[in-house]
Amino acid sequence: MEKDRNTPRWRNTIPRFVWAIVIVFTLILAGGITYGVRHARDHAARPAQQLVTITFDASFIRQVKLTPKQFAKLSHTMLSVKTKKSYPTKNGAVIMEVTPAQRTRMIRNGKEFLSTVSAPFLNDNPKYHYKVSPDYKRIDIWMDETASMEAYLAITDGVPNVYGFLYYITGHTGPWDMTTTIYNCNTGKRKLTFSYWKQPRITWPLKILK
């Protein structure tokens, strides 16, 4: 009997699109948004402040397929904020040092960036919406089988990717993952549950979500 091509096949690696999202987002972190001259002048005029530490766990660095040294180098400027220091540790983590005000701006900019990343999903259908847990480790999604590929990938890859960075920027430590649960937006029935790091291979049309 021929297998249903719309049945998801589980795998232990992330789809190529995730790598693309990681690269694009990292480029943005590395200065895709202009770090203005005015900010540099303001920074020079301010007195020295106590720094706060942001630690990206070694497991997160491994999952995004960058070496700790590469990640540290790319994150010297994150979300349009130039960090004080960014360096790898012996255990494979990456530590960033920023002022409290810098971290506040990074969080704000990250949340604003979410509106851009989630737009393809939210604009695909007025019934589509999602909810993220306060610790950024769970996302519930309401959509259906008519979703476009762009919408599906935006909400299952792009949005969680941004929250992964925000998880650490907001002060969390240790391994990060996000449990995704998809509900049919018309019936309310649960259709899929999976880990961000272990996603199903999906084919179109999305009969699995009907």
Side-chain angles (χ1 to χ4, degrees), residues 7-55:
T7 301
R9 290 169 290 175
W10 294 87
R11 59 182 178 177
N12 294 318
T13 57
I14 307 173
R16 290 182 187 174
F17 183 82
V18 178
W19 305 139
I21 285 291
V22 170
I23 292 170
V24 170
F25 189 63
T26 302
L27 287 173
I28 291 173
L29 300 181
I33 305 173
T34 303
Y35 185 68
V37 175
R38 186 182 70 177
H39 175 80
R41 288 200 303 265
D42 291 344
H43 175 73
R46 293 173 185 167
Q49 298 184 44
Q50 184 176 358
L51 301 180
V52 294
T53 298
I54 297 172
T55 304

Side-chain angles (χ1 to χ4, degrees), residues 64-83:
V64 299
K65 302 302 182 183
L66 292 172
T67 67
K69 186 176 293 186
Q70 289 171 330
F71 190 96
K73 183 177 180 179
L74 290 170
S75 59
H76 277 300
T77 299
M78 178 169 284
L79 287 166
S80 80
V81 177
K82 189 174 182 180
T83 61

Side-chain angles (χ1 to χ4, degrees), residues 5-208:
R5 293 178 59 83
N6 293 290
T7 301
R9 290 169 290 175
W10 294 87
R11 59 182 178 177
N12 294 318
T13 57
I14 307 173
R16 290 182 187 174
F17 183 82
V18 178
W19 305 139
I21 285 291
V22 170
I23 292 170
V24 170
F25 189 63
T26 302
L27 287 173
I28 291 173
L29 300 181
I33 305 173
T34 303
Y35 185 68
V37 175
R38 186 182 70 177
H39 175 80
R41 288 200 303 265
D42 291 344
H43 175 73
R46 293 173 185 167
Q49 298 184 44
Q50 184 176 358
L51 301 180
V52 294
T53 298
I54 297 172
T55 304
F56 288 89
D57 193 75
S59 62
F60 185 81
I61 307 300
R62 289 194 299 270
Q63 292 282 22
V64 299
K65 302 302 182 183
L66 292 172
T67 67
K69 186 176 293 186
Q70 289 171 330
F71 190 96
K73 183 177 180 179
L74 290 170
S75 59
H76 277 300
T77 299
M78 178 169 284
L79 287 166
S80 80
V81 177
K82 189 174 182 180
T83 61
K84 297 292 184 180
K85 289 183 180 179
S86 184
Y87 55 91
T89 66
K90 291 182 178 179
N91 68 358
V94 170
I95 292 178
M96 289 189 344
E97 294 181 2
V98 296
T99 66
Q102 286 176 322
R103 179 162 72 174
T104 297
R105 285 198 302 274
M106 288 162 56
I107 294 170
R108 181 192 64 215
N109 293 345
K111 290 181 177 179
E112 289 177 354
F113 184 55
L114 277 168
S115 64
T116 299
V117 177
S118 63
F121 169 73
L122 297 176
N123 294 336
D124 205 49
N125 188 316
K127 291 184 178 180
Y128 292 1
H129 62 287
Y130 70 97
K131 182 178 180 180
V132 175
S133 63
D135 64 358
Y136 303 155
K137 299 188 79 170
R138 178 180 178 84
I139 182 170
D140 294 324
I141 303 167
W142 286 265
M143 60 191 300
D144 62 15
E145 73 281 4
T146 66
S148 66
M149 181 182 295
E150 184 182 13
Y152 180 87
L153 294 176
I155 195 61
T156 60
D157 290 336
V159 169
N161 183 262
V162 178
Y163 276 111
F165 280 92
L166 285 173
Y167 175 81
Y168 294 105
I169 294 170
T170 54
H172 293 92
T173 58
W176 172 83
D177 195 1
M178 179 172 269
T179 300
T180 297
T181 301
I182 300 179
Y183 300 88
N184 182 288
C185 62
N186 302 304
T187 66
K189 292 183 178 180
R190 182 176 65 84
K191 292 299 177 179
L192 282 175
T193 297
F194 52 86
S195 158
Y196 177 71
W197 299 123
K198 186 180 179 182
Q199 298 202 29
R201 187 188 300 273
I202 296 293
T203 58
W204 270 258
L206 290 168
K207 292 182 179 180
I208 191 70

